[in-house]
């Protein structure tokens, strides 16, 4: 649904205003041919070999063991689903805010599973929010340690926006 209204948001951001009739016409056109408005969003990405690569980003933003386990379960299940079909899937688990506990070795309730993922699932990447790490450093007096296989990005939410723009499906368990 978010992809459907991007052209209208872009037009409004540029200062273009549609009268009510024009808005209804634009909406009717988008609903009748959504793939014409966003072809990349309508189809999975293809790599150079012509193979389809599916893309999934999982958002972990709560310090909640059930949500962390759910994100890992979803990643494993989706990975297995596409592997069984001989298709590729690129999965990013983006962690920010209170959810950063997931990637802190001394605090995470899922360390064993994280290590297992790192060793056996190269298609799953863990992404930590640099802004959250900066905040924790100020609050705790030193930068928190995170698992060594996690990538740090400047801002977790901005990373989710970027991934969405690249065709990733965003899911918050």
């Amino acid at each position: 649904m978010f992809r459907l209204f991007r052209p209208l948001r872009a037009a409004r951001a540029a200062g273009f205003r549609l009268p009510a009739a024009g808005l209804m016409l634009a909406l009717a056109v988008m609903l009748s041919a959504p793939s014409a408005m966003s072809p990349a969003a309508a189809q999975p990405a293809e790599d150079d070999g012509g193979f389809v690569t599916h893309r999934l980003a999982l958002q972990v933003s709560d310090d909640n063991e059930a949500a962390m386990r759910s994100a890992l379960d979803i990643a494993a299940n989706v990975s297995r689903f596409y592997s069984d079909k001989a298709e590729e899937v690129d999965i990013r688990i983006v962690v920010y805010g209170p959810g950063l506990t997931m990637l802190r070795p001394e605090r995470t309730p899922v360390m064993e599973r994280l290590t297992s993922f790192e060793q056996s699932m190269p298609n799953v990447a863990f992404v930590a929010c640099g802004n959250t790490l900066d905040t924790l450093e100020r609050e705790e007096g030193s930068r928190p340690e995170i698992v060594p296989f996690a990538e740090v990005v400047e801002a977790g939410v901005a990373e989710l926006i970027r991934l969405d723009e690249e065709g990733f499906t965003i899911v918050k368990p």
Side-chain angles (χ1 to χ4, degrees):
M1 174 130 177
F2 293 115
R3 294 183 206 291
L4 184 63
F5 293 104
R6 277 197 187 134
L8 286 179
R9 281 197 310 241
R12 287 179 54 206
F16 183 73
R17 302 281 184 232
L18 289 174
L23 180 61
M24 295 305 291
L25 178 61
L27 186 57
V29 168
M30 287 188 328
L31 290 175
S32 65
S35 63
M37 297 304 290
S38 181
Q43 301 172 352
E46 290 191 25
D47 64 18
D48 292 337
F51 296 101
V52 173
T53 300
H54 304 278
R55 295 178 170 149
L56 172 64
L58 297 165
Q59 171 188 335
V60 178
S61 54
D62 298 319
D63 185 3
N64 177 306
E65 182 177 350
M68 295 173 194
R69 290 191 183 283
S70 180
L72 295 171
D73 290 343
I74 291 167
N77 291 338
V78 168
S79 186
R80 188 176 320 108
F81 175 83
Y82 285 113
S83 177
D84 289 349
K85 297 174 130 212
E87 295 179 14
E88 293 184 14
V89 61
D90 184 8
I91 301 172
R92 307 290 171 95
I93 300 178
V94 180
V95 183
Y96 64 92
L100 197 70
T101 299
M102 179 181 191
L103 299 179
R104 297 181 69 174
E106 77 284 358
R107 296 186 180 187
T108 182
V110 293
M111 188 65 205
E112 215 172 281
R113 288 200 63 203
L114 290 174
T115 303
S116 173
F117 267 76
E118 193 270 332
Q119 294 171 351
S120 64
M121 300 190 79
N123 64 315
V124 178
F126 295 90
V127 181
C129 175
N131 286 337
T132 301
L133 288 168
D134 292 344
T135 299
L136 290 171
E137 182 175 5
R138 282 190 303 275
E139 291 173 357
E140 298 175 6
S142 65
R143 194 159 186 91
E145 177 188 354
I146 61 170
V147 293
F149 46 86
E151 171 190 357
V152 177
V153 296
E154 186 174 342
V157 173
E159 180 68 3
L160 287 170
I161 291 169
R162 185 187 72 75
L163 292 171
D164 178 62
E165 291 168 350
E166 287 186 7
F168 278 73
T169 298
I170 311 294
V171 174
K172 182 177 191 268

